[in-house]
């Protein structure tokens, strides 16, 4: 059968591969791979079809088509049929027991994480894929539920080891009874190759998404940035934003990108005047039933007047005010939760709770400045309040250069020359509650929300409760193009270079009357992609709250970067005081394991953190080698610049790895969160070496019975483990493959400041890590320069990713003027600080930017040390040459 949505006139019609024998076989109720039984008790209504028999044509680029067919004998499709058509069909694919697996499942509507077990019954609801260990043939098999026609699928646990597949349309009006290709299976002896091959095959077959390798990524991926969310929440406004950026600049680290998060839009509630902004919102949750009433900035930004915040003496800003507002809002939140708990306990007299809540709300309102408040208004040096333009613009077509967001972004760039990008936040449907009917030119309708049965297994979520409570003001899908272009073309005109699109998976709640979740998603994602290409250079979009196969298989033709973890939580929202520690390890597990599949399609984004958090260093270590952008959500006045300088160069760029970080093979089927023994290890590449980060994340994780992530205090303890050079998958990057063939490596331990030598034949390197701590191991191939001199550059030891500072490396052998032979190592380094290399012999000379300089060499361990300056005029680049 032809792939769904394949154009009638295919660009290519290539004969299927000549290799007919498939590694999979469905026979006598068993699914076998290379004659090894994988699934038992496979129902008779389940079918298997080889990849080449199903995907004979595709509009995918010819090289991808050929690549997919070159491995077609390693994969195929599962289908099933039922007697009665339905909008939601459940069927067993067979059972397995006593076989280790790794899976990814949705623990919330929008977020997914890893789970391990050894039986089909151990799976969690809404599993996005399951990876099975098949040691009998030294291989791995993946089962990926996919999309067929108007249905999407997920795996669920069954009884007695059975794996269930649930195929649903999201609309009771859209039904079917059979599928020929609702899941894909693939086998490989390398887990990294398995992911590449499987998702390449699906890209070619479905032709509804593109791989990361086919797309450009936004320039911010190798830069440092600041997001306003944890600094202000919904109280964000111009003066606070400028104060925040200025503090980074004054601290010697200039953000190259800024994300103005939720709080900047024109939103209100259904019981308000249609064209008046909601006032005095603080915490996330309070805005989740609000809707957009216009498509441009809210009053706080709209009334900004050009030049208000410029000049050498910035206006005074009360740095304590945001935290005071947030603290008071948290008091209100706790009081409301206490009231809810009292109701659940059967308390009839709630008057005392109501009195307290009203008192706290009044205090919050007064802190804002009464009914007129909604801004943390700055003052001049003489104490007078700065004057903003009070008129604003009446519609999203405002073209005033002297006020509003356009004036503000221009003033930001005038004040901070290195600020390349300014992004703003919006929900996929506009605001959390969508677009308010009758307030814009768009046809929006408040649509009730319906949750699929798969979400019954997910964690309780305030966002879901609020969205279901208020419904979504859904712009008709036929207007999706107009909706996004109206917003984005305006934003582009006023100096915004990209958007962070959040709350993406609400679409599945409102698909009943719009042809189902697949058809609705296609229209929205198509409109979003067109607008991205037109208004934001094709790349300026960070996707978030999107971790479900609908999005990845339907929404990523243009989108090239997205979050791979849940939000950074600086404390446990459920009140566990130890959550401030154990939640941080959970975040790293989300990111590392989600990158296995998401990294095939988008650039993984490990999210922001706060540099003054108690576990900030723990986060910083992971961000240093994650391979994506580094950004923080520091509060105004809450920065650890010493820590940030280990991550960021003075010009706001970062020593980024060349790939995206992934778990090492020996972590794949383990539980680094609460098995009490496993250290998370992730690997990546620099230009001239490999890197492994080891993190003690133990102490928390998913509880299937309670359906929530909770602390496991018995596991929050020191852990031991080991690393080896072969933990790095050198063959996954063409440029790194030769480094994997070296005979000897130098290993630098960033935290311990130790230097070791190792070979592929060497024993593993032991380690011990305290809770919420880490070590970064840099592996650099050693070059034999002469009979007595061996050399390897480590990089800048004052940076967490030391090797990321090395931009170029050249080895030469030559004859001098007097006939003497000499060897040289020329190293191009970005950054200032402590440069370290390994040398088995003392160099005869050292040159820094063509000038001879002194250096320190240790006979004991071969450490070769040189201090490098940051030279602004050279963009921080230094050229170091050692002669031997």
């Amino acid at each position: 059968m032809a792939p769904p949505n394949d154009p009638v006139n295919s660009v290519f019609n290539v004969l299927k591969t000549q290799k007919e024998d498939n590694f999979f076989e469905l026979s006598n109720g068993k699914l076998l791979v290379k004659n090894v039984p994988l699934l038992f008790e496979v129902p008779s209504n389940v079918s298997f079809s080889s990849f080449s028999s199903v995907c004979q044509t595709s509009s995918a680029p010819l090289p991808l088509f050929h690549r997919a067919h070159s491995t077609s004998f390693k994969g195929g499709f599962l289908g099933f049929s039922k007697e009665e058509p339905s909008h939601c069909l459940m069927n067993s694919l067979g059972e397995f027991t006593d076989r280790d697996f790794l899976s990814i499942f949705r623990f919330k509507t929008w977020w997914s994480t890893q789970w391990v077990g050894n039986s089909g019954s151990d799976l969690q609801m809404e599993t996005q894929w399951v990876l099975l260990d098949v040691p009998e043939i030294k291989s791995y098999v993946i089962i990926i539920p996919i999309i067929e026609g108007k249905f999407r699928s997920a795996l669920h646990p069954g009884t007695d080891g059975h794996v269930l597949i649930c195929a649903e349309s999201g609309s009771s009006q859209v039904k079917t009874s059979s599928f020929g290709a609702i899941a894909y299976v693939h086998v490989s002896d390398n887990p990294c190759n398995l992911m590449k091959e499987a998702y390449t095959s699906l890209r070619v077959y479905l032709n509804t998404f593109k791989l990361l390798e086919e797309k450009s990524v936004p320039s911010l991926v190798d830069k440092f940035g600041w997001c306003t969310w944890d600094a202000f929440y919904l109280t964000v406004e111009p003066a606070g934003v400028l104060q925040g950026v200025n503090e980074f600049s004054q601290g010697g680290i200039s953000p190259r990108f800024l994300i103005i998060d939720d709080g900047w839009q024109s939103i209100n509630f259904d019981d308000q005047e249609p064209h008046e902004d909601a006032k005095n919102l603080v915490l996330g949750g309070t805005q989740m039933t609000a809707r957009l009433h216009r498509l441009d900035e809210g009053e706080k930004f709209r009334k900004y007047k050009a030049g208000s915040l410029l000049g050498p003496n910035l206006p005074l800003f009360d740095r304590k005010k945001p935290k005071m507002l947030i603290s008071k809002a948290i008091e209100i939140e706790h009081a409301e939760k206490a009231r809810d708990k009292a109701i659940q306990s059967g308390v009839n007299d709630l008057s005392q709770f109501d009195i307290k809540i009203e008192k706290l709300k009044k205090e919050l309102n007064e802190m804002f400045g009464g009914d007129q408040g909604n801004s943390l208004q700055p003052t001049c040096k003489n104490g007078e309040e700065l004057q903003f333009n009070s008129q604003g613009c009446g519609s999203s077509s405002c073209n005033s250069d002297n006020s509003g967001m356009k004036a503000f972004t221009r003033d930001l760039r005038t004040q901070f020359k290195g600020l390349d990008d300014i992004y703003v936040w919006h929900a996929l449907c506009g605001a959390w509650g969508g677009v308010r009917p009758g307030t814009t030119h768009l046809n929006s309708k408040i649509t009730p929300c319906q949750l699929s049965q798969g979400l019954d297994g997910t964690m309780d979520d305030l966002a879901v409760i609020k969205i279901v409570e208020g419904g979504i003001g859904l712009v008709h899908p036929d207007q999706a193009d107009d909706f996004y272009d109206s917003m984005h073309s305006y934003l582009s005109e006023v100096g915004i270079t990209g958007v962070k699109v959040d709350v993406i998976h609400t679409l599945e709640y409102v698909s009943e009357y719009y042809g189902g979740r697949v058809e609705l998603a296609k229209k929205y994602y198509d409109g979003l992609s067109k607008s991205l290409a037109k208004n934001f250079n094709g790349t300026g979009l960070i996707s978030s709250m999107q971790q479900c196969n609908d999005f990845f298989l339907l929404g990523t033709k243009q989108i090239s970067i997205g979050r791979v973890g849940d939000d950074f939580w600086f404390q446990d929202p459920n009140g566990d005081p130890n959550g401030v520690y154990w939640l941080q390890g959970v975040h790293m597990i989300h990111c590392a394991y989600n990158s296995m599949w998401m990294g095939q399609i988008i650039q993984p984004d490990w999210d922001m953190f706060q540099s003054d958090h108690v576990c900030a260093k723990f986060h910083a270590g992971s961000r240093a080698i994650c391979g994506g952008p580094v950004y923080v959500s520091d509060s105004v006045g809450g920065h650890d610049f010493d820590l940030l300088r280990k991550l960021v160069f003075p010009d706001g760029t970062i020593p980024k790895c060349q790939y995206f970080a992934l778990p090492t093979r020996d972590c794949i089927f383990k539980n680094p969160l609460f098995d009490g023994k496993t250290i998370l290890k992730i690997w990546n590449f620099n230009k001239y070496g490999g890197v492994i980060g080891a993190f003690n994340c133990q102490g928390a994780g998913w509880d299937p019975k309670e359906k929530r992530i909770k602390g496991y205090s018995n596991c929050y303890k020191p852990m031991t483990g080991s690393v080896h050079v072969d933990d790095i998958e050198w063959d996954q990057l063409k440029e790194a493959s030769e480094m994997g063939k070296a005979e000897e490596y130098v290993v630098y331990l960033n935290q311990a400041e130790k230097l070791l030598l190792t070979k592929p034949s060497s024993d593993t390197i032991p380690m011990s890590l305290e809770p919420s701590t880490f070590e970064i191991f840099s592996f650099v191939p050693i070059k034999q320069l002469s009979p007595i001199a061996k050399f390897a550059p480590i990089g800048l030891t004052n940076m967490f990713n030391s090797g990321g500072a090395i931009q170029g490396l050249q080895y030469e052998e030559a004859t001098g003027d007097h006939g003497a032979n000499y060897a040289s190592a020329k190293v191009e380094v970005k950054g200032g600080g402590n440069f370290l290399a390994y040398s088995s012999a003392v160099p005869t000379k050292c040159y820094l930017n063509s000038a001879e300089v002194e250096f320190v060499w240790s006979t004991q361990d071969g450490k070769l040390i040189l201090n490098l300056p940051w030279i602004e005029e050279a963009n921080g680049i230094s050229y170091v040459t050692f002669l031997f």
Side-chain angles (χ1 to χ4, degrees), residues 170-468:
S171 172
S172 60
Q173 303 171 46
V174 179
K175 300 179 180 180
T176 194
S177 60
S178 64
F179 302 95
I182 195 62
Y184 182 68
V185 293
H186 199 91
V187 61
S188 177
D189 60 1
N190 182 314
C192 298
N193 291 344
L194 177 69
M195 288 293 178
K196 282 184 177 180
E197 292 171 4
Y199 282 94
T200 297
S201 295
L202 290 177
R203 183 267 180 265
V204 169
Y205 167 64
L206 292 171
N207 201 37
T208 54
F209 70 97
K210 289 184 179 180
L211 300 172
L212 175 60
E213 66 185 70
E214 301 179 77
K215 297 175 285 194
S216 298
V217 296
S219 61
L220 58 74
V221 296
D222 58 0
K223 296 174 183 176
F224 171 71
W226 179 50
C227 176
T228 63
W229 179 240
D230 289 306
F232 304 107
Y233 296 124
L234 302 174
T235 69
V236 63
E237 46 74 55
V241 173
L242 185 133
Q243 177 71 28
V245 178
N246 186 63
E247 285 184 0
F248 285 106
S249 180
Q250 293 296 311
I253 298 177
S254 299
R256 298 291 291 271
F257 67 92
L258 166 69
I259 301 174
I260 302 175
D261 213 293
D262 197 0
W264 68 274
Q265 293 174 295
S266 299
I267 63 171
N268 61 27
F269 299 95
D270 292 344
D271 59 356
Q272 283 186 250
E273 288 296 320
H275 301 289
E276 181 179 303
D277 282 357
K279 305 290 187 191
N280 302 351
L281 301 178
V282 181
L283 297 181
T286 55
Q287 88 288 28
M288 289 176 178
T289 57
R291 315 186 201 283
L292 282 185
H293 65 87
R294 50 192 288 164
L295 303 182
D296 62 349
E297 65 270 25
E299 183 182 0
K300 294 182 292 183
F301 285 84
R302 202 160 59 239
K303 68 182 184 181
Y304 177 80
K305 186 176 180 181
S308 298
L309 301 176
L310 289 183
N313 298 314
L314 294 181
L316 295 175
F317 179 82
D318 186 353
R319 299 195 301 184
K320 296 179 181 179
K321 187 72 173 287
K323 288 188 176 181
M324 291 170 59
L325 291 169
I326 291 168
S327 178
K328 182 60 65 175
I330 290 174
E331 281 190 72
I332 296 172
E333 185 180 71
H334 288 170
E336 290 174 337
K337 285 183 178 180
R339 185 183 188 278
D340 293 341
K341 190 174 181 179
I343 294 173
Q344 293 171 3
S345 301
V347 176
N348 294 320
D349 184 4
L350 301 172
S351 58
Q352 293 303 311
F353 294 97
D354 293 335
I355 291 171
K356 182 177 180 179
I357 291 170
E358 286 306 310
K359 177 177 177 291
L360 292 172
K361 286 184 175 180
K362 182 179 179 181
E363 291 171 356
L364 178 64
N365 190 49
E366 289 172 351
M367 291 171 67
F368 269 109
D371 294 335
Q372 302 304 311
N374 199 28
S375 177
L376 310 182
Q377 196 82 326
T379 59
C380 297
K381 294 293 184 180
N382 61 10
E384 294 181 2
E385 190 174 90
L386 275 178
Q387 296 303 307
F388 288 82
N389 175 12
S390 60
Q391 299 300 314
C393 62
S395 72
S396 61
S397 61
C398 172
N399 293 313
S400 172
D401 288 346
N402 298 315
S403 63
M405 188 67 84
K406 188 170 189 176
F408 180 57
T409 59
R410 185 176 64 246
D411 284 357
L412 278 175
R413 290 190 170 95
T414 299
Q415 189 79 7
F416 308 105
K417 302 299 184 184
L419 189 59
D420 300 321
D421 285 292
I422 302 174
Y423 282 37
V424 294
W425 178 100
H426 72 75
L428 183 72
C429 294
W432 288 84
V435 177
R436 187 169 176 177
T439 59
T440 70
H441 73 284
L442 299 165
N443 175 22
S444 65
K445 178 182 179 181
I446 297 177
T447 307
C449 298
Q450 300 179 19
L451 274 60
S452 69
Q453 69 179 69
L455 295 177
D456 290 342
T458 57
M459 186 173 172
D460 287 343
D461 188 348
L462 174 64
V464 176
I465 294 170
K466 289 291 187 180
I467 292 171
V468 170

Side-chain angles (χ1 to χ4, degrees), residues 501-773:
V501 180
D502 218 352
V503 207
I504 285 179
H505 253 276
T506 47
L507 279 185
E508 67 178 271
Y509 295 170
V510 290
S511 59
E512 169 66 24
Y513 302 106
Y514 297 99
R517 60 195 288 173
V518 172
E519 294 305 304
L520 178 59
K522 283 180 182 176
K523 289 199 172 184
Y524 262 72
Y525 294 148
D526 184 58
L528 187 62
S529 296
K530 288 176 181 175
S531 181
L532 172 59
K534 175 189 172 187
N535 298 302
F536 298 131
N537 199 34
T539 62
L541 190 154
I542 300 172
S543 55
S544 180
M545 298 178 73
Q546 85 298 13
Q547 294 169 9
C548 181
N549 55 7
D550 302 48
F551 171 79
F552 284 94
L553 299 181
L554 295 171
T556 53
K557 277 193 171 181
Q558 190 72 42
I559 296 170
S560 60
I561 185 171
R563 290 269 303 281
V564 289
D566 188 1
D567 290 334
F568 159 74
W569 290 96
F570 67 89
Q571 62 184 11
D572 180 19
N574 295 313
D576 183 347
N578 291 319
V580 69
Y581 298 101
W582 58 251
L583 270 170
Q584 315 318 319
V586 171
H587 185 276
M588 292 180 196
I589 297 300
H590 296 335
C591 294
Y593 287 87
N594 275 327
S595 293
M596 292 178 67
W597 69 299
M598 297 179 187
Q600 309 305 320
I601 301 170
I602 58 170
Q603 166 67 53
D605 171 6
W606 281 49
D607 194 23
M608 55 206 171
F609 68 101
Q610 290 183 305
S611 70
D612 65 345
H613 188 271
V614 65
C615 290
K617 187 176 180 182
F618 193 46
H619 276 283
S622 68
R623 302 310 191 279
I625 61 170
C626 73
V630 172
Y631 56 115
V632 294
S633 54
D634 287 0
S635 299
V636 174
H639 316 288
D640 184 341
F641 287 113
D642 288 338
L643 179 70
L644 291 175
R645 276 187 275 271
K646 296 177 183 294
L647 284 169
V648 186
F649 295 129
D651 65 355
T653 61
I654 59 174
K656 189 177 84 71
C657 285
Q658 303 296 296
Y659 202 60
F660 51 90
L662 291 171
T664 58
R665 287 198 201 192
D666 56 350
C667 287
I668 288 180
F669 300 109
K670 302 293 177 62
N671 178 0
L673 281 175
F674 58 97
D675 69 2
K677 58 185 178 181
T678 302
I679 292 173
L680 171 68
K681 296 187 297 181
I682 54 177
W683 60 269
N684 210 328
F685 305 117
N686 288 313
K687 282 187 178 181
Y688 299 99
V691 61
I692 295 175
F695 299 84
N696 184 349
C697 299
Q698 293 279 334
W702 178 252
D703 185 319
K705 293 181 180 179
E706 297 186 25
K707 295 189 213 177
R708 69 183 182 97
I709 291 172
K710 70 174 188 179
Y712 289 85
S713 58
N714 59 306
C715 298
Y716 195 74
K717 60 184 181 181
M719 294 287 149
T720 59
S722 62
V723 296
H724 193 274
V725 65
D726 290 342
D727 288 340
I728 300 170
E729 303 282 348
W730 297 98
D731 63 344
Q732 292 305 301
L733 192 65
K734 181 179 179 181
E735 296 82 356
S737 59
E738 284 302 312
M739 294 190 291
K741 300 174 184 177
E743 296 180 359
E744 190 174 20
Y745 300 82
V746 62
V747 188
Y748 181 69
L749 284 65
N750 182 274
Q751 295 299 287
E753 299 181 355
K754 289 183 179 179
L755 190 149
L756 307 170
L757 300 183
T758 191
K759 295 180 178 180
S761 59
S762 298
D763 292 337
T764 59
I765 301 169
M767 62 176 163
S768 178
L769 294 176
E770 294 295 316
S772 302
T773 66

Side-chain angles (χ1 to χ4, degrees), residues 115-143:
W115 186 251
V116 294
N118 59 18
S119 161
S121 297
D122 292 337
L123 290 170
Q124 300 300 294
M125 303 275 277
E126 274 296 311
T127 290
Q128 306 296 289
W129 52 261
V130 59
L131 178 70
L132 300 167
D133 189 19
V134 193
E136 301 96 317
I137 53 174
K138 298 180 180 180
S139 293
Y140 309 84
V141 170
I142 193 168
I143 304 174

